[in-house]
Amino acid sequence: MRMAYDLRHKDWYAWMKENNQPAFRADQMMDWLYQKRVSSFADMSNLPKKMRETLSEQFRLEPLKTLTQQTSSDGTIKFLFALHDGHAIETVLMRHNYGISVCVTTQVGCRVGCTFCASTLGGLKRNLTAGEIVAQVMKAQIALDEIGEERVKSIVIMGIGEPFENYEATLQFLRIMNEEHGLHIGQRHITVSTSGIVPAIYRFADEKLQVGLAISLHAPNQELRKSLMPVSYRHPLSELMEACHYYIETTGRRLTFEYLLIKDRNDQDQHAHQLGQLLSNLNCYVNLIPINTVVERDMERTPRNQIFQFQRIVESYGIKATIRREHGTDIDAACGQLRAKHLDKKSEQPS
């Protein structure tokens, strides 16, 4: 059964036509879903009863059930949602000085296998549909509605999974979020993060979207990157950099490179110099990320003074480097960590 959130406005228009309904019903559907944010087709009071029954037979409106909700002292909220088939995913709501952002998940688990990430524990189970990704934003927005707060202003696709290995659903999600009849979140307020799926970077560049692109780099040379990110065996750093050049030349947009700092692994002065040399001729900036502790991975955070030293060296190459503001450090902040705990608890239950 499809999700109601899987459809764009034009898809609802086509559905109305197929079901002998006037075109304006598509506007009404979008209004109920994204403005009134109802949780039942029965609540769509200005739609004919027969049509509401048909919708209930053909679509699922509430694909997510909240299993756990953690709230940090800084206002960050981390949700653990159950899907209709029992799988669990994470979504994070973050508060910034420029507004509220939601970080969404695109897959149940991940097959990329980054050695520092809890998301990949247990491997990939399945892709999410576009509607299941949309539903995460809607559940976060409804949580904001309940406490009388503002609307979601921006989205980052940086949760569990590799978005570019679920390309079509991710692209549909982007278009739904940008719909004038939906939440109407501007493309420039959305960022997609990839571990470096090279063919998809070329494809995404050719879409000519205004959506931001972030590359999870985390190492300045091929050998180190292979040890941290096995995706580098499939898509070597040299090929990734060629794709990055193509993206910038094709779109005219600046790239973000995410660099996770891990004590004694990739945070030494020599690594900072290598990173500066690697990126010095690109229109980009670097987002330095002190690692969140993941007990399953036995990796430690870079000392504060070394973080600033690393930043200074990178910026000496004319590259803007920022240190990511931390969110939710007093809850299960690392991506996939809350889900991993949930899976551990399930495995401990008697069969």
Side-chain angles (χ1 to χ4, degrees), residues 263-273 306 310 313:
K263 183 180 178 182
D264 298 329
R265 292 292 302 276
N266 66 348
D267 64 346
Q268 301 302 295
D269 289 1
Q270 67 185 39
H271 299 130
H273 283 293
Q306 182 60 27
F310 197 98
I313 293 173

Side-chain angles (χ1 to χ4, degrees), residues 112 162 164-165 194-202 231 234-235 240 243:
V112 173
E162 167 52 65
F164 281 172
E165 292 201 336
T194 177
S195 61
I197 309 301
V198 168
I201 294 173
Y202 285 102
V231 69
R234 283 190 289 147
H235 305 296
L240 173 59

Side-chain angles (χ1 to χ4, degrees), residues 32-51:
W32 283 113
L33 290 173
Y34 296 101
Q35 307 308 318
K36 297 184 175 67
R37 300 191 266 275
V38 298
S39 59
S40 170
F41 292 114
D43 294 334
M44 299 180 177
S45 55
N46 61 355
L47 302 183
K49 183 179 179 181
K50 180 62 177 175
M51 178 182 165

Side-chain angles (χ1 to χ4, degrees), residues 12 15 29 41 47 51-59:
W12 281 118
W15 189 90
M29 276 299 305
F41 292 114
L47 302 183
M51 178 182 165
R52 283 179 275 164
E53 292 172 353
T54 303
L55 287 166
S56 296
E57 292 167 359
Q58 294 188 16
F59 296 96

Side-chain angles (χ1 to χ4, degrees), residues 302-310 312:
T302 297
R304 184 177 177 83
N305 63 329
Q306 182 60 27
I307 293 173
F308 289 118
Q309 169 73 355
F310 197 98
R312 284 192 293 270

Side-chain angles (χ1 to χ4, degrees), residues 53-267:
E53 292 172 353
T54 303
L55 287 166
S56 296
E57 292 167 359
Q58 294 188 16
F59 296 96
R60 183 181 293 109
L61 182 51
E62 279 216 288
L64 306 179
K65 175 185 176 183
T66 303
L67 293 175
T68 304
Q69 180 174 323
Q70 296 181 342
T71 302
S72 170
S73 58
D74 64 11
T76 298
I77 302 175
K78 190 158 195 177
F79 302 92
L80 182 69
F81 294 126
L83 300 167
H84 68 91
D85 57 6
H87 286 303
I89 58 171
E90 293 178 2
T91 305
V92 184
L93 182 154
M94 298 166 288
R95 290 176 169 84
H96 305 273
N97 56 10
Y98 54 81
I100 292 174
S101 176
V102 174
C103 177
V104 298
T105 284
T106 55
Q107 295 180 306
V108 179
C110 184
R111 78 181 185 105
V112 173
C114 298
T115 60
F116 46 78
C117 183
S119 299
T120 195
L121 296 170
L124 175 66
K125 302 304 180 185
R126 70 170 176 87
N127 287 331
L128 298 186
T129 70
E132 289 172 326
I133 309 172
V134 172
Q136 296 171 59
V137 180
M138 298 311 300
K139 292 286 275 189
Q141 181 60 65
I142 290 167
L144 291 171
D145 294 341
E146 290 172 350
I147 56 177
E149 291 204 31
E150 60 186 300
R151 68 189 292 263
V152 173
K153 294 290 180 62
S154 61
I155 297 170
V156 290
I157 308 176
M158 298 181 182
I160 297 171
E162 167 52 65
F164 281 172
E165 292 201 336
N166 189 14
Y167 189 91
E168 294 298 340
T170 296
L171 206 65
Q172 178 78 341
F173 164 75
L174 294 173
R175 288 169 173 156
I176 292 171
M177 286 293 95
N178 187 230
E179 293 256 64
E180 182 179 356
H181 293 88
L183 289 185
H184 201 197
I185 296 175
Q187 290 189 14
R188 289 178 179 267
H189 296 280
I190 305 174
T191 301
V192 181
S193 176
T194 177
S195 61
I197 309 301
V198 168
I201 294 173
Y202 285 102
R203 185 178 177 186
F204 195 68
D206 291 338
E207 302 282 356
K208 303 292 178 66
L209 300 174
Q210 294 297 304
V211 174
L213 180 62
I215 307 295
S216 293
L217 190 61
H218 309 317
N221 62 68
Q222 171 67 359
E223 288 308 308
L224 180 56
R225 196 165 194 266
K226 283 195 302 184
S227 72
L228 294 173
M229 304 178 70
V231 69
S232 244
Y233 285 94
R234 283 190 289 147
H235 305 296
L237 183 59
S238 58
E239 295 180 9
L240 173 59
M241 298 313 297
E242 288 177 7
C244 290
H245 279 277
Y246 179 84
Y247 175 86
I248 292 169
E249 292 166 3
T250 301
T251 67
R253 294 185 58 77
R254 183 170 66 167
L255 266 176
T256 299
F257 287 95
E258 298 167 312
Y259 195 98
L260 192 70
L261 289 165
I262 307 168
K263 183 180 178 182
D264 298 329
R265 292 292 302 276
N266 66 348
D267 64 346

